[in-house]
Amino acid sequence: MSNVAAPGPESQRHSHETIEHPYEDLGAVGMLGAAAIDLMVGGRELYSVFVRTLYYVARGKREKGALARQMYEMGNRSVFFLSVTMGFLGMILVYQAGLQAKRVVPDYTLLGATYLELLVRDFAASLGALMLATRVGAGIAAEIGSMVVTEQIDALRMCAADPIDFLIKPRFLASIVMTMVLVIWAGTIAFVAGAFTAYFAFDVPLQTFFNHQLVDFGDLAVGLTKCLAYGAAIPIVSGYCGLSTFGGSEGVGWATTRAVVNTSLAIIILNFFISGAGFLIFPG
Amino acid sequence: MIQFKNIIKSFGPKTVLQDVSFDVPKGSVFFIIGASGVGKSVLIKHLVGLLYPDSGEIWLDGQEISRFDEAQMGPVRRKCAMVFQHSTLFDSMTCAENVALPLRKHKNLSLKAALAEARQRLEIVRMEEFADRYPPELGDGMRKRVAIARALTVDPTYVLFDEPTTSLDPVSARRVDVLIRELSDKLGVTSIVVSHDLTSIFSIADRIVMLYRGKVRLQGSREDFKNTPDGVVQQFITGRATGPFEL
Ligand SMILES: Nc1ncnc2c1ncn2[C@@H]1O[C@H](COP(=O)(O)OP(=O)(O)OP(=O)(O)O)[C@@H](O)[C@H]1O
Ligand SMILES: [Mg+2]
C-alpha cells in the first residue's frame, strides 16, 4: 500500500515492500491475513482521503475555474454515453416488465407508475452511477495516476499544495453536482424511452404511462440520497486509486482498472445500505 | 548546513542507499555524481520529505528533519526548493501559473500578484514569451528553464537541482551553470546538483560526492577528484567504457 492518506515517515516506512512479491512465503492463513490487513489499510487510507477532502471543502478556499472546468469535463465526457445506455436500458426494462405483466395480469395501467417509482427510488441513480464510474472514475484515476508517475504530485507537495485540496476537492464537488444533474437527465431519458417502448410494443397510451401517483416523498429522498452518495464516492475512491499508483505507465493502467472495479463495488455496497435504510424509514 | 548521517533506504528487497553520510557546507555548490540508478534522485528526495529513510538522520540547519510529517515539512520545502529531473511542470497550467503556484501557496500571494511576479521570474530565464503556453507544447530544455524559475520563486536558501543540464543544448547548459554559480556567489544560496555533466562538474563544483553501489565512494574538491588514484572514480570522471567500474 502506498502512502496517500497521510504522507509521513510512519506510513512510508513499509511502503513498496509489498509491491514485487505481495504475499510471498506466507502460507494460506498468512495470505488471508495479509489480504485482510491490506484491505484494512486501504480502507483507512480511503477514509482519510474522504475526511481530508471534507476538511478542505469546509475550509472553503477555491481555486478559480477549477470547479467549473471539472464540471464541464465530467458532464461533457459522460452525457452522450449515459443517454444512450440509459435509453436502451429503459427500453429493455419496460419491454421485459411488459412481457411479465402480460403473463400474470394482462393489465398495463400501472406499468408506467411502477417503472417510474423504480427509476426514482433506485435504477436511475444506481445504473447511472455505475456508468459514470466507468467514465468519470477511470478518467480521474488515469489523470491523477499519471501525475503520480511523472512526479507531478511530488512537485505539488513541493509547492505546498496538498494534492487532496488541489486535485480531489474540485473533482469531489463537481462530481456531486454533475452526478445529480446527469442522473436526473438519464432517468428522464430512460423513462421516455420506456414510455415509447410501452406504446409501440403493448399499445399503452402515453397518458397512461406518464403516471406519477406511486412516487412519494420517500422515493425521492432515497433517490436523491443515492445520487449524493454515489457522486461523493466516485471521485474519492477513484482519486484514492490514482494517488496510490506506483511503477510507471503500467501502474497507471492498474490504477485505472482498480478505480473502475472499486467504484462500482462502492456503488453497489452503498446502494445496499441506502436501500435498506430507505425501506426502514419510508416503508412502502 | 545539511548533513546526511548513515542514510539507509530500500525499496522492497532492493537496498538503494546503504549507509550514506556526508555534509553540505552552506553557500557551496555541491555536486552529487554517480551512475544511472545509483540512487541520486532518491537521496535528494529525502531532504524534502518526498521519501523517508529506513534509518539514518538528516540535519538541516540544526534540526533533525527525517521524521517530520507533512505539515512540518512545509517550511523545509520553502527553504529547500527542488528542480525535478524531468522538470515536472503541471500540464494543466500555463507556464506562468506553474511559476505562480509556489508563490500563492508558500507566500499566500493573491493570484494576480503571483502571476505578475511569475512573469518577472520567467524573464530571468528568458521564457517570458511562453508565459501563457502550456508545458506539453514546449521542448524539454524550455520546460527545464521554467522549472528552474518555479523553484527559485520563493527565494530558497537551498536549491536541489536534479540533472539541470541534461536535455539542454550546450549554450543553455552553460547558462544554467553560470546561474547556479551566481546563486551561490551573489545570494549565498547552497546548491545541491545531481549531474553527469562533466563540464558542469569541473567548472562550477565546490565539492563533489560520488555515490557508487549505494555508498559514498569519494568526496572532496575538484582537485581531489582529478588526482585520486581510485580507478573507479577515474573511469567515471573521464568517461571511459572499460575499467573497474561496475553498474
Ligand atoms: N518509488 C520507487 N519504488 C521502487 N524503486 C524505486 C523507487 N524510486 C526509485 N527506485 C529505484 O531506486 C534506484 C535509484 O533510483 P534513482 O532514480 O535515484 O536513480 P538515479 O541515481 O537518480 O539515476 P538517474 O541518473 O538515471 O536519474 C533505481 O534502481 C530505482 O529503480
Ligand atoms: Mg535521477
Side-chain angles (χ1 to χ4, degrees):
Chain A
M1 269 303 124
S2 143
N3 57 319
V4 275
E10 294 315 318
S11 58
Q12 202 166 56
R13 192 75 33 82
H14 303 288
S15 66
H16 305 290
E17 264 155 40
T18 50
I19 292 173
E20 296 199 79
H21 311 284
Y23 311 128
E24 206 182 20
D25 302 333
L26 284 177
V29 177
M31 253 157 76
L32 255 171
I37 290 172
D38 248 19
L39 201 71
M40 266 161 55
V41 171
R44 211 189 54 201
E45 291 191 353
L46 186 66
Y47 178 71
S48 151
V49 170
F50 181 53
V51 170
R52 285 203 292 156
T53 308
L54 289 183
Y55 164 77
Y56 284 117
V57 169
R59 222 182 44 158
K61 263 178 150 180
R62 301 260 154 81
E63 277 300 311
K64 233 172 74 187
L67 180 61
R69 196 173 62 226
Q70 288 304 327
M71 279 172 43
Y72 175 79
E73 279 202 2
M74 281 179 194
N76 223 29
R77 217 189 292 177
S78 322
V79 68
F80 178 72
F81 172 68
L82 206 62
S83 306
V84 172
T85 47
M86 291 297 281
F88 277 105
L89 280 172
M91 297 198 298
I92 294 164
L93 278 172
V94 169
Y95 188 70
Q96 288 294 339
L99 287 182
Q100 308 291 341
K102 193 152 101 187
R103 252 183 251 147
V104 189
V105 273
D107 168 23
Y108 297 119
T109 42
L110 283 182
L111 185 59
T114 30
Y115 177 54
L116 186 60
E117 187 187 23
L118 192 66
L119 270 182
V120 169
R121 193 165 183 118
D122 189 21
F123 272 25
S126 302
L127 292 178
L130 282 173
M131 301 299 150
L132 281 177
T134 62
R135 225 31 201 175
V136 176
I140 291 177
E143 193 180 353
I144 295 184
S146 57
M147 289 185 76
V148 171
V149 300
T150 57
E151 297 183 325
Q152 288 182 54
I153 300 292
D154 282 348
L156 266 184
R157 287 163 66 194
M158 285 303 294
C159 294
D162 188 331
I164 304 274
D165 183 21
F166 209 76
L167 298 172
I168 309 274
K169 187 185 76 181
R171 285 165 177 75
F172 177 77
L173 293 173
S175 166
I176 287 181
V177 176
M178 290 319 286
T179 304
M180 200 73 88
V181 171
L182 286 168
V183 161
I184 291 172
W185 166 252
T188 311
I189 298 243
F191 186 67
V192 172
F196 281 103
T197 311
Y199 177 71
F200 287 114
F202 308 108
D203 294 321
V204 181
L206 291 180
Q207 303 92 289
T208 317
F209 197 88
F210 280 81
N211 175 353
H212 58 79
Q213 74 187 43
L214 286 185
V215 178
D216 55 19
F217 174 76
D219 298 319
L220 269 176
V222 171
L224 290 178
T225 310
K226 284 179 182 173
C227 281
L228 185 72
Y230 302 155
I234 291 170
I236 296 289
V237 176
S238 51
Y240 161 73
C241 291
L243 283 177
S244 53
T245 304
F246 55 83
S249 45
E250 198 187 343
V252 179
W254 270 108
T256 314
T257 313
R258 223 155 63 90
V260 173
V261 172
N262 290 346
T263 4
S264 308
L265 213 60
I267 287 167
I268 289 166
I269 293 170
L270 282 171
N271 188 8
F272 177 80
F273 284 109
I274 298 173
S275 296
F279 282 116
L280 290 181
I281 302 170
F282 307 107
Chain B
M1 171 92 157
I2 297 169
Q3 293 171 295
F4 290 94
K5 291 186 181 168
N6 309 100
I7 301 297
I8 296 176
K9 178 69 179 177
S10 314
F11 292 106
K14 185 169 158 199
T15 305
V16 177
L17 302 172
Q18 336 180 354
D19 199 10
V20 171
S21 307
F22 58 84
D23 298 353
V24 181
K26 204 152 191 163
S28 60
V29 175
F30 191 96
F31 271 68
I32 300 175
I33 64 174
S36 266
V38 74
K40 306 180 296 293
S41 301
V42 166
L43 178 65
I44 60 172
K45 280 183 191 165
H46 281 78
L47 186 59
V48 285
L50 296 177
L51 289 173
Y52 290 92
D54 298 339
S55 73
E57 296 180 354
I58 299 165
W59 289 79
L60 174 73
D61 294 338
Q63 266 185 311
E64 210 282 303
I65 59 164
S66 70
R67 300 286 176 272
F68 275 18
D69 64 23
E70 196 71 0
Q72 291 170 302
M73 273 296 169
V76 173
R77 289 176 184 158
R78 182 170 170 179
K79 206 189 241 184
C80 307
M82 178 145 169
V83 180
F84 285 86
Q85 183 163 1
H86 304 288
S87 303
T88 53
L89 300 172
F90 309 117
D91 293 341
S92 58
M93 301 169 132
T94 64
C95 291
E97 285 167 350
N98 263 283
V99 178
L101 188 64
L103 289 168
R104 291 165 52 209
K105 298 288 173 178
H106 276 301
K107 286 192 176 174
N108 275 321
L109 290 191
S110 71
L111 181 62
K112 220 173 136 197
L115 281 175
E117 178 150 5
R119 275 168 203 282
Q120 289 178 6
R121 299 294 181 141
L122 283 170
E123 244 167 70
I124 300 175
V125 291
R126 298 186 177 82
M127 288 295 294
E128 68 275 17
E129 53 186 300
F130 299 96
D132 296 316
R133 302 273 290 274
Y134 287 87
E137 304 167 21
L138 308 180
D140 271 354
M142 291 163 143
R143 281 207 294 273
K144 191 136 261 177
R145 270 141 68 189
V146 176
I148 291 175
R150 182 177 70 186
L152 296 179
T153 43
V154 286
D155 301 317
T157 12
Y158 299 92
V159 188
L160 314 177
F161 291 95
D162 201 345
E163 307 200 11
T165 55
T166 315
S167 81
L168 292 189
D169 62 85
V171 176
S172 306
R174 298 294 78 78
R175 279 191 187 139
V176 169
D177 289 348
V178 171
L179 174 79
I180 293 173
R181 193 65 255 176
E182 282 182 359
L183 281 174
S184 160
D185 294 343
K186 293 189 181 156
L187 302 173
V189 170
T190 310
S191 298
I192 298 182
V193 188
V194 169
S195 183
H196 304 293
D197 185 339
L198 295 173
T199 323
S200 310
I201 297 167
F202 287 105
S203 58
I204 61 168
D206 289 324
R207 283 189 75 75
I208 307 168
V209 60
M210 177 168 166
L211 297 183
Y212 181 66
R213 316 195 85 193
K215 298 208 164 89
V216 172
R217 182 76 180 198
L218 177 68
Q219 54 174 319
S221 63
R222 282 178 265 173
E223 274 60 45
D224 295 336
F225 268 74
K226 279 186 185 146
N227 302 331
T228 178
D230 187 334
V232 170
V233 178
Q234 280 302 337
Q235 187 189 346
F236 189 80
I237 63 172
T238 50
R240 270 182 283 116
T242 52
F245 194 98
E246 293 171 49
L247 279 178

